[in-house]
Amino acid sequence: MLELRNIHKYYNPGTVNEMCLFEDFNLTINQGEFVSVVGSNGSGKTSMLNIICGSIPVESGQILIDGHSISDVTLKSLRSQMGVMTQDTFLFTGTVRENLCYGRGKATEEEMIAAAKAVNAHSFIMKMEKGYDTQISEHSSQLSIGQRQLLAFARTILSDPRILILDEATSSIDTHTERMVQEGIEAMIKGRTAFIIAHRLSTIRNADRIFYIDHQGIAEMGSHAELMKKRG
């Protein structure tokens, strides 16, 4: 279970430019639940995920995972439980294999291939010059934006995180590629607590709950069908 209790977060506290982002903000996400966060630009969606990841501090309140405050554990321990993906995909110079196994160096060949197949990356990898042993780089021209994102998805699955966080992770993927990766997202979130920020409706319509963030807190929440009925 993931809990945010009485979170207060300000930008530029104590200055004339002070702005309240969250005030007495509370949120509980059950283990294995798939939730999505939506809201206008500047509403605090990404900031909320950064708070959960321990990347930015809060003025007051607690972030708890299974009843344990994240302030009581090291950042390394916290991050080992999380798989975080953003729209900016990073690949380093090395083989496809090395990039996929970066977060789990002891992964077996079978596990690596299974992760690639889950997000429909295996087929294009096998068409590359040396398959999984093909050399790529951060700005490799041999990979499309969509293919780079699929490799990042496979790498995340292989690291086997308990909590999955996707921040606009499909924004760089075209509609055709997104259809391919949608099954991969479903494979990634199965059995995991998943937190997704996305503007594309196709990415979030199957969420257990959708939170609409506005005015320093949650303005509306519910399933896709429930929110459509509210017409808010």
Side-chain angles (χ1 to χ4, degrees):
M1 180 182 289
L2 174 64
E3 298 175 83
L4 277 68
R5 292 183 183 172
N6 305 317
I7 297 296
H8 287 75
K9 174 61 186 173
Y10 296 85
Y11 283 140
N12 305 311
T15 71
V16 294
N17 296 318
E18 180 177 285
M19 182 183 75
C20 179
L21 183 63
F22 295 123
E23 186 172 35
D24 201 26
F25 184 83
N26 291 276
L27 179 66
T28 298
I29 301 169
N30 299 314
Q31 183 175 348
E33 189 174 18
F34 167 26
V35 303
S36 179
V37 181
V38 298
S40 59
N41 290 334
S43 61
K45 303 184 300 296
T46 298
S47 294
M48 181 171 64
L49 298 188
N50 285 331
I51 287 171
I52 293 170
C53 293
S55 299
I56 58 175
V58 296
E59 275 60 56
S60 62
Q62 286 184 299
I63 302 97
L64 303 156
I65 297 177
D66 294 336
H68 300 283
S69 173
I70 67 169
S71 62
D72 294 334
V73 300
T74 64
L75 190 59
K76 181 178 180 181
S77 175
L78 177 65
R79 295 286 176 81
S80 70
Q81 303 295 314
M82 298 180 174
V84 182
M85 285 194 60
T86 67
Q87 57 186 309
D88 300 318
T89 303
F90 177 76
L91 299 175
F92 57 85
T93 299
T95 64
V96 172
R97 181 188 307 277
E98 289 168 338
N99 273 272
L100 293 185
C101 296
Y102 176 74
R104 191 176 165 206
K106 294 183 179 180
T108 66
E109 182 86 2
E110 291 75 18
E111 289 171 333
M112 178 189 68
I113 292 174
K117 285 183 175 179
V119 295
N120 298 309
H122 179 70
S123 57
F124 82 77
I125 291 173
M126 293 307 295
K127 292 177 182 177
M128 298 174 76
E129 182 182 3
K130 295 182 179 179
Y132 286 87
D133 294 311
T134 302
Q135 286 282 331
I136 58 175
S137 64
E138 182 179 354
H139 303 293
S140 182
S141 60
Q142 70 203 94
L143 295 169
S144 68
I145 293 175
Q147 288 173 333
R148 294 167 63 86
Q149 203 78 324
L150 290 173
L151 290 181
F153 271 64
R155 179 168 60 197
T156 300
I157 289 181
L158 194 56
S159 67
D160 196 25
R162 290 179 56 210
I163 299 173
L164 183 66
I165 296 176
L166 306 182
D167 186 1
E168 296 288 0
T170 60
S171 62
S172 298
I173 298 177
D174 58 64
T175 304
H176 171 70
T177 306
E178 188 186 21
R179 286 197 297 269
M180 292 173 57
V181 85
Q182 198 65 43
E183 293 181 4
I185 292 176
E186 292 173 5
M188 277 199 297
I189 67 177
K190 190 174 182 180
R192 297 185 177 94
T193 304
F195 226 99
I196 296 181
I197 290 177
H199 285 118
R200 292 186 180 181
L201 186 61
S202 58
T203 307
I204 64 173
R205 69 164 62 243
N206 293 326
D208 298 315
R209 285 188 294 166
I210 299 171
F211 298 98
Y212 175 65
I213 305 296
D214 193 29
H215 295 106
Q216 302 163 10
I218 299 172
E220 286 188 310
M221 68 176 178
S223 66
H224 175 259
E226 290 168 346
L227 292 179
M228 291 300 287
K229 286 181 180 179
K230 290 180 180 178
R231 304 180 68 84

